[in-house]
Amino acid sequence: MNRNGNVPVVPRQAAITGLAACSSLGQTSAFLDALLAGRSGIRPITTFDPSACRSRLAAELLDFDAAPFIAPMKLRRMDEVGALAVVSARLALESAGLPRVDGGYDDVGVVLGTCTCGVHSTGEFLDRLLDLGPTGAPALLFSNTVGNAAASLIALEEVLRGPNTTVSYKEASGLAAVAHAADLVRDGRARAIVTGGVEDIYDLYFQVHDWFGVLSSSDRHPEGARPFDVTRNGFVLGEGGYLVVLEDGARAADRGVPILGEVVGVGAASAVTAVNAWPTDSEPLVRTMRLALAEAGITPGDVGAVYAAANGAGDFDTIEADAIATVFDRHAPLVTSIKGAVGEGGMAGAASLVAAVLAGRRGLVVQTAGLTTPDPHLAALRYVIGAPAPLPSPYILINSFASGGASYSLVLRVN
């Protein structure tokens, strides 16, 4: 009993019972196989003409077709992010043994992280409006212009009547969504939540990043994403859908489904920085990681691996390396980043989570795609280079830090 004489409420287990990846490396099993083989999904852009840009590469979706999952008339009314979200959610729910049923689910909800939901439709709607006037703007597009359209489409298609939330914290969106979903499940506000990140590259969105000069280009070194590498020169945008099903562990046990992992700790903070700038001080990142470890009830020495937010941006990778070194001190977890394979975007933190679960269940940590020679000016960390490494502990720390200052860390325990 607590000091007030009440029996304390024991938080429910935020168990991962299903997951799905629709990525530049293929879908879930192909995604993992490619990461373990050290392959990258970054390649020349094919969906629009980037010839006027300094940067020409992106991690575009591979082998994705929404048609087998969505009826033609419905698909016609969805934009790219909405279709990707619906398909990714369907795959994740099937993986969790929660198939689509006519009556739907009152106690299953959606928390989706995205930066680009609504961007395609907004751009096209405004183009038509400006060129043709109000009568020429297609009304069919309007419902897709809002940022929560994709989460709503998931709920409508799968008949999920639980909480429905969209999180948009730039590059931290996907992991921030998982953090919020974990709180909902542990507080008993939902039996299960479909959560993670979904992103689609839109030509104007890409061009704005290129105009800001934050993307990797071939000015001093070859274009590409090389986290922590001595030749890193910027990040590469990526797209994809990376969703998990977080479920009350007791309910999952009653259903007899395997628990793939558990979210045991979340940390969230913010850094004071310019709107489009990465954090320039390691203290907020240190604080975020320590909050996650504290909530998980573990010490730095318990952590086997860190899936870093590092993306190849010069100063940002330096700041994160310093923060990791500060948090773990003499303890030396393995450190990796998958952004050299899947790119950067609002889905990237969720992609790291999916990768950590899939590889962790095989007892492995994926190698850092794009990293060949660690920058000697960075903190000396145990980078995973060239091949997967054995995971020394079931506890994994996942970082997702955004330009603009939002920062999230999550502690995962894999089963």
Side-chain angles (χ1 to χ4, degrees), residues 225-266:
R226 294 178 291 276
F228 300 122
D229 197 85
V230 68
T231 65
R232 68 190 186 281
N233 62 352
F235 64 90
V236 173
L237 284 178
E239 62 185 7
Y242 302 89
L243 299 185
V244 301
V245 176
L246 287 185
E247 185 171 359
D248 179 349
R251 299 287 292 272
D254 288 344
R255 294 198 301 119
V257 297
I259 292 176
L260 310 179
E262 180 187 357
V263 175
V264 295
V266 170

Side-chain angles (χ1 to χ4, degrees), residues 28-51:
T28 312
S29 59
F31 166 69
L32 175 62
D33 290 344
L35 288 177
L36 293 176
R39 296 197 297 273
S40 175
I42 294 172
R43 49 189 170 266
I45 293 170
T46 60
T47 53
F48 59 89
D49 180 10
S51 59

Side-chain angles (χ1 to χ4, degrees), residues 31-40 227-228 306-307 334-341 355 359 364-372 382-390:
F31 166 69
L32 175 62
D33 290 344
L35 288 177
L36 293 176
R39 296 197 297 273
S40 175
F228 300 122
V306 175
Y307 278 68
L334 299 170
V335 176
T336 189
S337 171
I338 68 168
K339 293 181 183 177
L364 296 171
V365 181
V366 303
Q367 64 263 56
T368 310
L371 173 58
T372 302
R382 290 178 62 198
Y383 302 108
V384 184
I385 304 174

Side-chain angles (χ1 to χ4, degrees), residues 64-232:
F64 176 77
D65 182 10
F69 299 87
I70 305 171
M73 289 304 293
K74 287 184 177 180
L75 184 57
R76 183 168 170 264
R77 295 194 295 270
M78 294 182 190
D79 72 354
E80 290 81 351
V81 180
L84 177 59
V86 168
V87 172
S88 301
R90 176 76 55 80
L91 294 172
L93 287 163
E94 289 176 353
S95 170
L98 289 169
R100 189 178 186 184
V101 294
D102 290 340
Y105 300 95
D106 288 335
D107 49 5
V108 180
V110 181
V111 179
L112 190 68
T114 180
C115 296
T116 56
C117 181
V119 169
H120 287 268
S121 295
T122 300
E124 185 176 349
F125 185 87
L126 291 176
D127 283 344
R128 300 279 190 90
L129 179 65
L130 293 173
D131 289 345
L132 304 174
T135 58
L140 204 61
L141 286 175
F142 190 74
S143 62
N144 290 315
T145 62
V146 294
N148 67 335
S152 298
L153 286 169
I154 293 173
L156 289 168
E157 286 299 304
E158 301 300 327
V159 196
L160 308 180
R161 293 182 291 270
N164 191 287
T165 304
T166 297
V167 177
S168 190
Y169 287 158
K170 300 186 76 175
E171 296 84 3
S173 298
L175 202 67
V178 176
H180 180 53
D183 285 343
L184 291 174
V185 171
R186 289 188 294 193
D187 289 346
R189 299 182 186 183
R191 162 194 169 189
I193 298 285
V194 183
T195 184
V198 177
E199 207 80 304
D200 185 85
I201 297 173
Y202 173 57
D203 55 358
L204 184 58
Y205 185 76
F206 181 92
Q207 290 159 14
V208 169
H209 280 79
D210 186 77
W211 182 79
F212 276 118
V214 296
L215 301 180
S216 172
S217 64
S218 56
D219 50 358
R220 292 184 297 111
H221 298 289
E223 184 179 350
R226 294 178 291 276
F228 300 122
D229 197 85
V230 68
T231 65
R232 68 190 186 281

Side-chain angles (χ1 to χ4, degrees), residues 345-408:
M347 80 300 165
S352 294
L353 173 64
V354 171
V357 173
L358 291 170
R361 285 179 56 78
R362 294 194 188 183
L364 296 171
V365 181
V366 303
Q367 64 263 56
T368 310
L371 173 58
T372 302
T373 306
D375 187 338
H377 297 99
L378 297 182
L381 304 176
R382 290 178 62 198
Y383 302 108
V384 184
I385 304 174
L391 176 64
S393 161
Y395 290 102
I396 300 170
L397 180 73
I398 300 163
N399 286 337
S400 190
F401 306 135
S403 57
S407 59
Y408 279 81

